[in-house]
Amino acid sequence: MTTSFDWKLPRGTLIHGKWKQNRYRVERLLGEGANGKVFLVERQRTWYAMKISSDAVDLQSEVNVLQSIAKQRQAGRHEAYLIDVDDFRNSDGVDYPFYVMRYIRGMTLFDYLAKQGMDWFPVVGYSLLVKLAQLHSEQWTFGDLKVENVLVGDYGRAELVDYGGVTGFGKSVRQFTEIYDRGYWNAGSRTADAKYDLFSFAVLCIQIHESRRLAALTASLLPQNRAPEELLKLARVNPVLRTMEDWLSKALRGEFAHTQEAAKSWQQWQHKHSRHAPSAPVPRWMKGLFVASAALLATTIYWLLRAGL
């Protein structure tokens, strides 16, 4: 049985790894999820994010997933996500497992759009789709895709955080949040695949623009009446969401063949309906991102054709 992890780590607390002897100084709490808390910590003048849990088995499963992803990406130029894994003993003499990951600087999705303006929404959305496409190409579903698990850096570059819900294709999704879950909306199973994340992404789009109406809708609907059409009805009352109704419909109904197709369709919507581009100059990473996504799409189509699909 899992016990709750409800104690606090004040700023300046030193965490001493039991096995590897690494020391970390706690700066502040970054967030908390279903199976632990994440703290901003410092070691040798470098900032990291440390996740601590009361459930060793659950945290180890998460570590195993991160290690598998790291091995798949060794040939690429991706920065290491997982830095350290160890245990530490708190003031009550209880050992808790933790892992340390790179710290991603950024703002929450809501905060970023509130500061920079909603004109950045299409850019952030595309960046997030490319992140998901990479994960899906490696046969992983993010699972617990929600506003809280997306950070946005300079020029709208999106990053996924908290990999606790990442699940291999074909398995039951490890963690999810009901409002983003296609099973909750009677739109499909909780079996991990790319379409599961695309459904969550569509709900995220609706929440960004109509959070109050979405909350009211979920509170009023009976379980048997939940359906993608109810979400589309909500989208039709918003001027921005109404322009992307076709895209939302395909994502909510699982009609995109793969995430690369969804990203390409998003680009087409973006070019057609964006009234004006963000005022900041386009960074090099975004230019490369468009090229990389096109190459990924071409590769996917090649293998689908070769397989006779």
Side-chain angles (χ1 to χ4, degrees):
M1 180 177 178
T2 302
T3 57
S4 61
F5 180 74
D6 56 4
W7 46 273
K8 297 180 180 179
L9 293 177
R11 182 182 182 185
T13 299
L14 289 178
I15 293 179
H16 186 188
K18 181 177 180 179
W19 307 108
K20 300 179 182 178
Q21 307 299 311
N22 291 326
R23 293 178 180 269
Y24 301 91
R25 180 183 61 82
V26 174
E27 177 67 17
R28 60 184 171 87
L29 179 70
L30 289 175
E32 51 189 304
N35 66 341
K37 295 187 177 183
V38 180
F39 296 89
L40 177 63
V41 299
E42 179 265 339
R43 177 173 178 261
Q44 298 179 349
R45 299 182 179 180
T46 302
W47 294 107
Y48 300 101
M50 174 185 285
K51 185 166 185 177
I52 307 173
S53 176
S54 58
D55 190 327
V57 174
D58 197 33
L59 195 74
Q60 186 58 50
S61 296
E62 191 170 331
V63 168
N64 291 342
V65 168
L66 290 170
Q67 289 175 333
S68 296
I69 294 174
K71 288 179 181 179
Q72 288 175 301
R73 298 181 179 181
Q74 278 180 350
R77 294 178 296 175
H78 306 285
E79 184 180 355
Y81 188 82
L82 188 63
I83 307 298
D84 189 14
V85 181
D86 210 329
D87 299 327
F88 90 101
R89 181 163 294 179
N90 77 341
S91 57
D92 296 327
V94 179
D95 286 345
Y96 287 94
F98 70 84
Y99 70 79
V100 178
M101 47 197 154
R102 64 186 176 93
Y103 172 56
I104 299 172
R105 297 182 182 274
M107 306 173 67
T108 66
L109 191 51
F110 274 134
D111 288 346
Y112 184 87
L113 293 175
K115 180 180 179 180
Q116 301 294 340
M118 291 301 291
D119 287 334
W120 279 93
F121 164 68
V123 176
V124 176
Y126 182 74
S127 177
L128 182 54
L129 282 171
V130 171
K131 285 288 181 182
L132 290 173
Q134 179 187 9
L135 200 61
H136 296 161
S137 71
E138 298 161 346
Q139 302 295 293
W140 297 99
T141 297
F142 188 74
D144 199 13
L145 182 63
K146 57 184 177 181
V147 169
E148 294 83 355
N149 285 345
V150 179
L151 288 181
V152 187
D154 293 340
Y155 302 106
R157 186 169 189 170
E159 293 282 358
L160 293 164
V161 296
D162 194 346
Y163 279 58
V166 174
T167 309
F169 279 9
K171 299 180 180 179
S172 180
V173 173
R174 288 161 43 85
Q175 291 178 22
F176 60 87
T177 302
E178 282 190 339
I179 195 173
Y180 300 91
D181 172 51
R182 69 181 176 191
Y184 175 85
W185 291 99
N186 299 315
S189 72
R190 292 191 176 109
T191 300
D193 57 20
K195 295 178 181 181
Y196 185 92
D197 280 343
L198 289 175
F199 182 96
S200 300
F201 182 96
V203 177
L204 183 147
C205 293
I206 295 172
Q207 186 181 33
I208 289 171
H209 292 86
E210 292 290 345
S211 58
R212 291 184 181 180
R213 284 195 175 104
L214 180 59
L217 178 66
T218 56
S220 63
L221 281 177
L222 294 173
Q224 61 269 29
N225 293 333
R226 298 176 191 143
E229 181 56 34
E230 297 300 323
L231 291 167
L232 289 172
K233 288 179 182 177
L234 190 58
R236 293 183 191 118
V237 304
N238 182 278
V240 175
L241 295 176
R242 192 161 54 243
T243 67
M244 57 184 303
E245 182 180 345
D246 288 344
W247 193 97
L248 291 172
S249 177
K250 288 182 178 180
L252 292 171
R253 295 190 169 111
E255 295 175 356
F256 284 118
H258 41 69
T259 313
Q260 293 83 5
E261 180 187 354
K264 183 177 180 180
S265 178
W266 182 276
Q267 278 186 282
Q268 293 170 345
W269 163 78
Q270 181 180 352
H271 294 160
K272 183 177 180 181
H273 295 286
S274 291
R275 287 177 293 180
H276 52 85
S279 57
V282 177
R284 284 184 296 175
W285 75 263
M286 191 178 296
K287 296 176 182 177
L289 179 145
F290 279 87
V291 174
S293 63
L296 188 59
L297 175 60
T299 302
T300 301
I301 293 174
Y302 168 78
W303 284 109
L304 287 175
L305 291 174
R306 185 170 180 176
L309 298 178

